[in-house]
Amino acid sequence: MQRQYRLKRRAAFAYVYRKGERSSAHNLLLLSARSREGLKIGLSVSKKVGNAVARNRVKRLLREAVHVIEDRIDRGFMYVIVARPSIAGLPYSKVCDEVAGAFAKAGKLKC
């Protein structure tokens, strides 16, 4: 995921949590809300996922999984990907499948 697409401000996260539509996969939750700024994606990995090493690994995997499908994601939305604790033990290929599946289930992925 490129830096220009990262969701950074707390207010933006709060807006997506409050107004966003939810779409869940087995190991993550995808929230999406309309955006005036174009495509923005934020990651939320809580301490329930594991220690700092595990959380950082999950964030790296999620960023790379989003990077793979970045050009197919609907650009008019802000997204927040919330990792569930069960994602910590998954390999990269499964994480990619989870992310793509969550976007497809939400109808935000072009073919």
Side-chain angles (χ1 to χ4, degrees), residues 10-37:
R10 185 183 190 291
F13 272 90
Y15 174 77
V16 176
Y17 276 113
R18 201 170 0 104
K19 300 282 187 178
E21 300 173 5
R22 288 168 165 68
S23 174
S24 65
H26 189 264
N27 296 303
L28 55 90
L29 174 70
L30 177 70
L31 296 111
S32 58
R34 281 268 177 217
S35 172
R36 290 186 214 148
E37 303 168 5

Side-chain angles (χ1 to χ4, degrees), residues 34-60:
R34 281 268 177 217
S35 172
R36 290 186 214 148
E37 303 168 5
L39 178 64
K40 295 289 182 182
I41 301 173
L43 303 175
S44 176
V45 183
S46 74
K47 287 187 176 183
K48 292 178 184 178
V49 172
N51 62 11
V53 175
R55 291 193 308 271
N56 286 329
R57 178 182 178 276
V58 168
K59 285 187 267 188
R60 283 194 310 272

